[in-house]
Amino acid sequence: MQTVLRCIDCGKSYPSDQAFVTCPACGGLLDVEHDLDALRGAVSHELFDQRLGSWDRLDRSGVWRYRELVLPDLPAETYVTRGEGNTTLYDATPRLGDYAGVRKLQLKHEGENPTGSFKDRGMSGGVTQARRVGARSVICASTGNTSASMASYASISGLQALVLFPEGYVSLGKIAQSVAYGATNVQVHGDFDDTLAIVRAAAESLPVYLLNSINPFRLEGQKTIIIEMLHQRGWRVPDWIVVPGGNLGNSSAFGKALMEMKTLGLIDRMPRLAIVQAEGANPLYRSFVDGSATLTPVKAQTIATAIRIGNPASFAKAWRTLEWTDGVVTEVSDQAIMDAKAQVDAAGIGCEPASAASVAGVRRLVDEGVIAPGDEVVGVLTGHVLKDPDAVLKYHSGTLDGLTSTFANTMHTIPASLDALKALIPA
């Protein structure tokens, strides 16, 4: 079974065991291209069901359980795993469904991965490739989640991790993870896009392996969000899948997963994909409204730090996903994001601000008549509620600049008396 790297721009192909992450000929984005004809006889619903009952370390991973569709035919010891994936698909109705305006809403919570975000699926794939090509150091630019994940996966693999942050743009909870996992952490005077430019230049001139979402093996791991979600649904395809859009790696991975699964006969139809961006970080939305496949970067500003990206590296692949899925793009305000987050949190599920863009986006698309109230919708939550505790506390204390705490759960202070406590307990 042959897997190759293929440029989505010039079409040139390369062996898959290479250390470069963009096309050497033209600089375009690369796909990991699988031999789908050969895979038709190698994968099935039954195979993946059987692996659910296995204690083998690869079968227990929500990435490598589907390894034929990610990075097949490697020695077992090459694969890097922390047992990522296996995240809950919550039935979010009626409470959150009523808020969003749909009768059937499920939430796939990627914040339940080992380091608290979907990035662990991608890093399992990316760090596996780093080991495969003999890398000793890995590098990324990060708004937080990528750094935490890469630092962890690099550490368990014996690799040096170099993390570059945009100074002042990252939640302390995320920086703390990268520090804790032993990475070399560097703050850059600039935003995420400035930081990524430095990282890409470093990867071209220094002996470091790039692990941002431009890396095609990262996206192969992230495909399994969709594969696992459909497996959990008994391979029944929802009407809509809704995902936050920042650097657009997930959007790109989701389209590729769906196209491959449809080609292989694992699903019988394509769902529609909705990508939700913050109003202050919305280059894909602007292009979608203009009907243009050309990216015009913006200066990003949003409370949702995980999607505070104005020049998304995976724009071209995300645009391709929109074409494949008859997809749409919308934008939501920071107010809508934080209100939706308060609702997700209060439902006992919880998520970081960027994740809540999914629920806010469903609500807006229902209001606009794009999503029908009777449609089946799966929203993706990308990060854990503790990724940005500062935003939580400021929202509920009414101290977020420019935002209203619509659903505030205020802290109470009482004297040291039982009577004072009794006053807070419903009769």
Side-chain angles (χ1 to χ4, degrees):
M1 189 182 305
Q2 185 178 22
T3 297
V4 300
L5 291 168
R6 188 175 302 279
C7 178
I8 70 169
D9 290 336
C10 72
K12 188 172 177 59
S13 66
Y14 307 91
S16 64
D17 58 347
Q18 302 298 307
F20 50 76
V21 297
T22 56
C23 178
C26 74
L29 297 176
L30 295 172
D31 266 338
V32 178
E33 185 178 278
H34 303 289
D35 185 344
L36 297 183
D37 289 334
L39 279 177
R40 281 192 186 89
V43 298
S44 66
H45 297 159
E46 293 73 22
L47 171 66
F48 299 141
D49 285 345
Q50 289 169 7
R51 288 178 178 170
L52 286 173
S54 168
W55 286 106
D56 179 86
R57 75 181 190 100
L58 298 185
D59 294 344
R60 298 303 295 171
S61 163
V63 170
W64 302 117
R65 178 178 305 129
Y66 311 104
R67 50 194 172 272
E68 290 84 359
L69 304 177
V70 180
L71 190 53
D73 301 328
L74 299 183
E77 63 273 12
T78 303
Y79 294 104
V80 179
T81 179
R82 282 195 60 190
E84 54 287 320
N86 301 300
T87 58
T88 305
L89 180 64
Y90 288 94
D91 182 354
T93 46
R95 181 169 182 167
L96 291 173
D98 289 347
Y99 177 77
V102 291
R103 288 191 289 273
K104 183 65 175 178
L105 175 66
Q106 294 179 299
L107 295 175
K108 178 68 169 162
H109 202 337
E110 290 300 298
E112 296 177 354
N113 274 286
T115 74
S117 85
F118 74 92
K119 303 286 187 177
D120 291 346
R121 291 185 188 260
M123 283 302 165
S124 186
V127 175
T128 292
Q129 179 68 2
R131 290 181 64 177
R132 183 186 183 197
V133 301
R136 298 179 63 185
S137 298
V138 291
I139 191 170
C140 73
S142 181
T143 57
N145 286 331
T146 300
S147 65
S149 184
M150 189 187 78
S152 171
Y153 279 78
S155 181
I156 66 172
S157 303
L159 304 176
Q160 178 194 26
L162 297 167
V163 175
L164 277 69
F165 297 102
E167 185 180 23
Y169 285 85
V170 182
S171 161
L172 288 178
K174 298 175 182 180
I175 292 177
Q177 286 182 278
S178 183
V179 172
Y181 292 132
T184 300
N185 300 287
V186 182
Q187 296 187 90
V188 176
H189 294 305
D191 62 14
F192 173 82
D193 301 310
D194 299 324
T195 306
L196 181 58
I198 295 171
V199 165
R200 293 184 67 170
E204 292 177 0
S205 59
L206 301 174
V208 293
Y209 185 67
L210 179 64
L211 280 174
N212 280 100
S213 61
I214 195 171
N215 184 310
F217 296 96
R218 274 271 315 272
L219 299 191
E220 290 303 291
Q222 288 165 221
K223 286 189 331 188
T224 61
I225 299 172
I226 295 300
I227 302 170
E228 184 179 85
M229 178 271 288
L230 289 165
H231 194 177
Q232 290 169 317
R233 286 176 54 88
W235 308 104
R236 292 181 301 104
V237 178
D239 298 303
W240 288 90
I241 298 171
V242 184
V243 62
N247 216 19
L248 303 178
N250 266 346
S251 307
S252 304
F254 290 8
K256 188 170 185 289
L258 291 165
M259 180 59 74
E260 290 172 350
M261 293 174 74
K262 177 65 168 60
T263 301
L264 291 168
L266 292 172
I267 56 175
D268 58 3
R269 64 183 178 89
M270 296 283 279
R272 297 186 71 184
L273 189 78
I275 303 170
V276 186
Q277 296 205 288
E279 282 182 354
N282 62 353
L284 181 65
Y285 173 74
R286 294 185 183 197
S287 293
F288 180 77
V289 170
D290 292 341
S292 169
T294 301
L295 169 63
T296 302
V298 302
K299 190 70 173 178
Q301 184 58 47
T302 173
I303 194 170
T305 56
I307 55 174
R308 189 190 286 166
I309 297 167
N311 187 18
S314 295
F315 178 91
K317 288 183 177 179
W319 192 266
R320 179 180 67 178
T321 287
L322 294 172
E323 294 175 337
W324 283 344
T325 65
D326 188 23
V328 301
V329 187
T330 192
E331 62 174 359
V332 290
S333 66
D334 279 0
Q335 182 71 59
I337 288 172
M338 291 306 297
D339 285 347
K341 171 177 160 50
Q343 292 292 304
V344 174
D345 294 351
I349 298 173
C351 66
E352 71 168 325
S355 298
S358 291
V359 175
V362 175
R363 184 178 170 95
R364 174 166 180 172
L365 290 168
V366 170
D367 287 345
E368 294 174 345
V370 178
I371 293 178
D375 286 346
E376 288 196 19
V377 180
V378 175
V380 178
L381 304 179
T382 48
H384 194 277
V385 65
L386 293 180
K387 285 288 188 173
D388 197 346
D390 192 50
V392 175
L393 296 178
K394 285 184 176 179
Y395 177 88
H396 289 288
S397 64
T399 57
L400 276 177
D401 290 343
L403 298 186
T404 301
S405 298
T406 313
F407 303 105
N409 179 20
T410 56
M411 181 77 73
H412 299 277
T413 302
I414 63 171
S417 83
L418 182 59
D419 287 341
L421 179 59
K422 285 180 179 178
L424 300 177
I425 299 175

